[in-house]
Amino acid sequence: MKALLAPAAGLALALSIAIPGIADAWAAEMVDPKADLKTFQAYFYEKFPNVKHEDFVNGPYSMDEGMRKQWEEKEEFPPYDFAIEKGKELFETPFKNGKTFADCFENGGIGVRQNFPRFDLKLGEVVTLEYAVNRCLTENGETPYSYVKDEMAAVTAYMASTSRGKPFAIDVPNDPRALAAYEAGKQYFYTRRGQLNFSCASCHVQNPGNRIRAEVLAPALGITAALPIYRSEWGGMGTATRRYMSCNSQVRGTPLAPDDELYRDVDYFLSFMSNGLPISGPGARP
Amino acid sequence: MVSAFARTALVALLLPASAVLAASAQETKEAYSAAKALSDKAAANKNQWPATLTALAAAKAAIEAGRHDEALSKAKEAEALARASIEQTEREKTAWKDAVIR
């Protein structure tokens, strides 16, 4: 989609220089994140009128009373606690050049998770929290982390823990590149793939609250707020990237490369759709 | 008097086994190449199905072991799977819009 949109976006950019009014109107007609946000959230609020809005970030536990009770008991000794501890240690340990992660983020990286992903106008791409962590490492001469688990899950778990309760505040600037990235993420979310012919939306829009085997499907609304997560199925922590890769595998598709920009784009779309809902991560799921 | 059918059957029976295998090996090689090309296209679409790769690997292993019937069957299975994933990609280029919340 991005490939298809790129020429159009480029044309819109060129036109916006020449004839700003016409190009803006055209771009607005093509992609309208704010209108999407309104209809997306309304769909879930109408479908589940008894679920408190802020509870959607708790995924399957907002849909199933039995699971919720189990989760509440589990939260007394959360399985992600060790990751927060390890993440804090990694976060505060100086790099070889003496700097730390705090030097790469606004407010020293504390309480900023709700602003990610963001569109970086200088880079011209979506920067997820994971991507920002790895950029910080490489810019300081360090080896980047795996996008899937371990250190990445730990550092993002710690950062998420400092943002708990803060509402998602994702911005899609009126820039053709940002709009193209947003639209690519949206397309990825709604596109059926894999041998089972499922899209992300097949489970998380059309069937939240229903079961697939033993699992209760989480609503798409608020789904990124709990990331990273400890999954019993994984026997450990996993990042947002791991979650998307796992979804691909579950529909019998081959996951993308962990650093594929489409995973960043879909994270951008989903997080924007959750604007206003509180960060609940790190989370725990079956 | 020997009938034409009997003559043909006799010739077929007496054909060296290697001639029959050579024809099969060629057919298998072509089927594998066709399946591989489609599988590569599916991968380029970022919509590869693991089942395609499994069938393709099984076809390759069977070719290497000289099991041409099995190789042909697995190559055709891989081709069908790859073709289905490519068709899915093509269909979804527009169909995804129908699923968007409105």
Side-chain angles (χ1 to χ4, degrees), chain A residues 206-265:
Chain A
Q206 290 152 21
N207 285 291
N210 291 335
R211 283 181 185 271
I212 280 195
R213 293 189 176 175
E215 277 194 56
V216 174
L217 293 166
L221 178 61
I223 202 164
T224 58
L227 295 167
I229 50 170
Y230 179 95
R231 282 205 89 167
S232 306
E233 182 192 335
W234 296 336
M237 293 292 295
T239 59
T241 299
R242 187 176 188 180
R243 187 68 194 92
Y244 298 130
M245 292 177 77
S246 170
C247 273
N248 289 158
S249 297
Q250 284 169 330
V251 301
R252 295 190 191 166
T254 302
L256 305 174
D259 61 350
D260 195 295
E261 68 175 336
L262 277 171
Y263 283 150
R264 280 186 275 140
D265 292 344

Side-chain angles (χ1 to χ4, degrees), chain A residues 109-154:
Chain A
I110 303 302
V112 298
R113 189 269 178 267
Q114 70 282 359
N115 301 324
F116 287 89
R118 61 186 181 80
F119 191 85
D120 188 304
L121 292 168
K122 276 187 191 164
L123 294 173
E125 61 183 351
V126 171
V127 175
T128 59
L129 187 60
E130 293 163 14
Y131 194 61
V133 163
N134 265 352
R135 281 186 59 81
C136 182
L137 286 167
T138 52
E139 282 169 4
N140 284 287
E142 301 287 326
T143 306
Y145 295 153
S146 154
Y147 274 99
V148 179
K149 52 185 178 176
D150 301 328
E151 292 96 338
M152 180 64 83

Side-chain angles (χ1 to χ4, degrees), chain A:
Chain A
M1 185 65 192
K2 192 177 270 186
L4 288 175
L5 272 177
L11 181 59
L13 186 64
L15 281 173
S16 67
I17 295 163
I19 325 165
I22 293 172
D24 289 349
W26 185 41
E29 192 184 9
M30 278 169 48
V31 184
D32 190 348
K34 282 179 185 164
D36 289 350
L37 174 66
K38 201 173 170 186
T39 50
F40 193 92
Q41 295 197 344
Y43 170 83
F44 286 97
Y45 295 153
E46 282 168 26
K47 192 175 175 76
F48 300 102
N50 297 324
V51 175
K52 287 181 186 168
H53 294 183
E54 66 274 17
D55 201 26
F56 279 96
V57 299
N58 295 317
Y61 312 124
S62 66
M63 306 271 110
D64 186 280
E65 192 54 35
M67 283 188 75
R68 187 181 192 90
K69 281 180 182 162
Q70 288 179 32
W71 169 60
E72 284 170 351
E73 283 181 17
K74 212 192 283 185
E75 282 292 295
E76 288 177 25
F77 300 98
Y80 48 75
D81 261 1
F82 72 95
I84 296 178
E85 260 178 60
K86 184 183 172 188
K88 186 172 192 293
E89 190 186 323
L90 288 167
F91 191 87
E92 292 173 349
T93 302
F95 304 136
K96 287 190 286 287
N97 65 6
K99 291 187 176 180
T100 67
F101 280 112
D103 294 303
C104 296
F105 295 90
E106 61 178 352
N107 200 40
I110 303 302
V112 298
R113 189 269 178 267
Q114 70 282 359
N115 301 324
F116 287 89
R118 61 186 181 80
F119 191 85
D120 188 304
L121 292 168
K122 276 187 191 164
L123 294 173
E125 61 183 351
V126 171
V127 175
T128 59
L129 187 60
E130 293 163 14
Y131 194 61
V133 163
N134 265 352
R135 281 186 59 81
C136 182
L137 286 167
T138 52
E139 282 169 4
N140 284 287
E142 301 287 326
T143 306
Y145 295 153
S146 154
Y147 274 99
V148 179
K149 52 185 178 176
D150 301 328
E151 292 96 338
M152 180 64 83
V155 168
T156 54
Y158 169 64
M159 292 181 77
S161 75
T162 68
S163 276
R164 274 191 163 181
K166 290 179 186 285
F168 256 129
I170 309 301
D171 181 39
V172 180
N174 189 18
D175 179 291
R177 299 166 302 169
L179 293 170
Y182 166 86
E183 191 70 1
K186 178 179 168 183
Q187 181 178 1
Y188 194 81
F189 178 75
Y190 285 109
T191 294
R192 289 176 182 269
R193 62 179 56 81
Q195 205 176 353
L196 297 187
N197 198 35
F198 272 35
S199 67
C200 308
S202 302
C203 289
H204 301 292
V205 170
Q206 290 152 21
N207 285 291
N210 291 335
R211 283 181 185 271
I212 280 195
R213 293 189 176 175
E215 277 194 56
V216 174
L217 293 166
L221 178 61
I223 202 164
T224 58
L227 295 167
I229 50 170
Y230 179 95
R231 282 205 89 167
S232 306
E233 182 192 335
W234 296 336
M237 293 292 295
T239 59
T241 299
R242 187 176 188 180
R243 187 68 194 92
Y244 298 130
M245 292 177 77
S246 170
C247 273
N248 289 158
S249 297
Q250 284 169 330
V251 301
R252 295 190 191 166
T254 302
L256 305 174
D259 61 350
D260 195 295
E261 68 175 336
L262 277 171
Y263 283 150
R264 280 186 275 140
D265 292 344
V266 76
D267 202 48
Y268 190 39
F269 167 73
L270 279 172
S271 300
F272 182 79
M273 288 297 106
S274 299
N275 261 350
L277 296 182
I279 296 297
S280 62
R285 297 288 183 267

